[in-house]
Amino acid sequence: MVSIEMIVAARARLRGHARRTPLLSSPFLDEIAGRRLFIKAECLQHTGSFKFRGGWSAVSALEPEVRARGVIAFSSGNHAQGVALAARLHGVPSVIIMPDDAPKLKISNTRALGAEVVLYDRAKEDRDAIGARLSEERRLTLIKPFDEPQVIAGQGTTGLEIAEQAEEEGVSSAEVLAPCGGGGLTSGIALALEARTPGFRVRPCEPEGFDDTTRSLASGRIERNATLSGSICDAIITPQPGNITFPILKRLAGPGIVVTDEEALRAMALAFTRLKIVVEPGGAVALAAALFHGEQLQEDAAIVVTSGGNVDDEMFARALALQG
């Protein structure tokens, strides 16, 4: 359902709208990791995460008369902001369904982008059911956060950039570590790399206790998380891998890597100290995997996606305190 041609087309629609985010490095991080590390800083993307790519791709792909009625999305914050900004730039309304425990910064930013925000209890209510009801009542187009071909195609443009930037750096083989929730980013990158740099392999990275993709890859079937709350990595907490994304990852991805919340916080602090970038907990899990679980990697080089930087002051201060 998703092809390299769709990813290339999404990139054409994104041209002039999304940033080509930098590939950063630090000898200090290389030393900790025991290999060359390159950090794809998607935390510097519009709205502070890679999600703008998928949001723009999906909104821009709609027929004009359908797009004019407006769009709806459900998200803990990053997909919300990506879709909200894409909708605003297209001049159409957006409704975003967000968990009531999402970081205040993400909720306020989504509202500031012009979206109507509908809050729900992620432990007791079904966001899919809420989204389906509102989309039918208001004739809005539902843009899913990961299990949507045009969203995956948009996220896959990250992989096209990684392939180009790795060539510029003289890297011919590497493992590409990416934070993984429902798998939109990891599956999109995997498809792009399959076409452009088949010597690269994607490794999904997840927080401890919410490792549905890691377990699914190990068992060969979709596994579900027992709970949907209890981790600071809110950006990548999903019930289970997607029905579209998982077959792609099953075919192309390497084993998943699981990190603790504390390791994610330590990675956030190191990213700020050594790279001068701000990364949120969920966006830092791949960096944490590269820094603290290097024994699970085979290649001499790793490319790490820091997928988002939308973190509240209190959480960021908590991370920086670990450096003391």
Side-chain angles (χ1 to χ4, degrees):
M1 296 180 68
V2 188
S3 65
I4 186 60
E5 289 77 18
M6 286 178 63
I7 297 172
V8 171
R11 187 180 197 181
R13 296 196 306 276
L14 278 159
R15 189 167 291 118
H17 302 288
R19 293 174 178 146
R20 185 182 194 255
T21 54
L23 198 64
L24 307 175
S25 62
S26 162
F28 298 100
L29 298 184
D30 291 353
E31 184 175 356
I32 295 172
R35 57 179 39 84
R36 295 179 72 195
L37 286 190
F38 298 91
I39 292 79
K40 179 66 169 166
E42 279 295 295
C43 50
L44 300 178
Q45 188 56 260
H46 294 304
T47 71
S49 91
F50 74 97
K51 290 287 192 176
F52 176 72
R53 296 176 185 266
W56 182 276
S57 172
V59 172
S60 64
L62 294 173
E63 292 296 328
E65 63 273 16
V66 174
R67 185 168 58 233
R69 294 199 297 264
V71 296
I72 185 170
F74 39 83
S75 165
S76 66
N78 287 336
H79 179 63
Q81 293 174 75
V83 170
L85 179 57
R88 190 181 78 174
L89 293 174
H90 280 90
V92 301
S94 63
V95 176
I96 308 296
I97 303 162
M98 302 183 71
D100 54 15
D101 63 347
K104 296 181 181 64
L105 177 68
K106 295 181 179 181
I107 295 174
S108 62
N109 282 352
T110 304
R111 285 180 172 140
L113 290 169
E116 175 189 344
V117 174
V118 177
L119 299 177
Y120 76 101
D121 183 336
R122 77 164 95 205
K124 298 178 181 178
E125 297 180 278
D126 183 348
R127 68 180 187 178
D128 298 271
I130 296 170
R133 175 176 58 81
L134 288 175
S135 61
E136 182 176 356
E137 289 175 357
R138 305 192 192 184
R139 299 182 69 215
L140 303 171
T141 298
L142 176 62
I143 297 180
K144 297 179 181 179
F146 53 85
D147 226 22
E148 159 57 47
Q150 288 295 353
V151 169
I152 297 170
Q155 320 305 24
T157 63
T158 311
L160 296 180
E161 291 178 15
I162 286 173
E164 293 166 356
Q165 291 168 312
E167 183 178 9
E168 292 166 7
E169 294 286 348
V171 179
S172 57
S173 63
E175 289 170 285
V176 179
L177 280 59
C180 186
L185 177 64
T186 42
S187 62
I189 290 176
L191 287 169
L193 296 181
E194 177 189 33
R196 295 291 190 264
T197 52
F200 288 22
R201 183 174 67 158
V202 171
R203 302 289 300 274
C205 302
E206 298 175 290
E208 191 175 62
F210 301 88
D211 57 345
D212 48 299
T213 297
T214 299
R215 289 183 286 109
S216 298
L217 289 172
S219 69
R221 63 180 184 274
I222 291 178
E223 305 280 355
R224 188 176 178 88
N225 284 323
T227 182
L228 295 178
S229 61
S231 171
I232 62 174
C233 301
D234 64 282
I236 55 174
I237 302 303
T238 54
Q240 62 189 47
N243 293 324
I244 299 174
T245 60
F246 180 64
I248 298 170
L249 294 176
K250 184 178 178 181
R251 182 171 68 86
L252 296 176
I257 304 174
V258 181
V259 307
T260 66
D261 281 358
E262 182 174 342
E263 287 169 338
L265 288 170
R266 288 170 60 197
M268 289 170 61
L270 286 165
F272 179 72
T273 303
R274 300 305 183 187
L275 301 172
K276 307 308 177 188
I277 58 174
V278 174
V279 187
E280 64 189 280
V285 296
L287 181 57
L291 292 173
F292 310 126
H293 295 272
E295 76 283 353
Q296 297 186 43
L297 303 179
Q298 283 78 50
E299 299 288 346
D300 293 332
I303 298 172
V304 173
V305 181
T306 52
S307 57
N310 294 306
V311 58
D312 286 344
D313 295 349
E314 296 82 358
M315 186 63 70
F316 193 56
R318 181 177 165 189
L320 295 182
L322 293 177
Q323 290 290 78

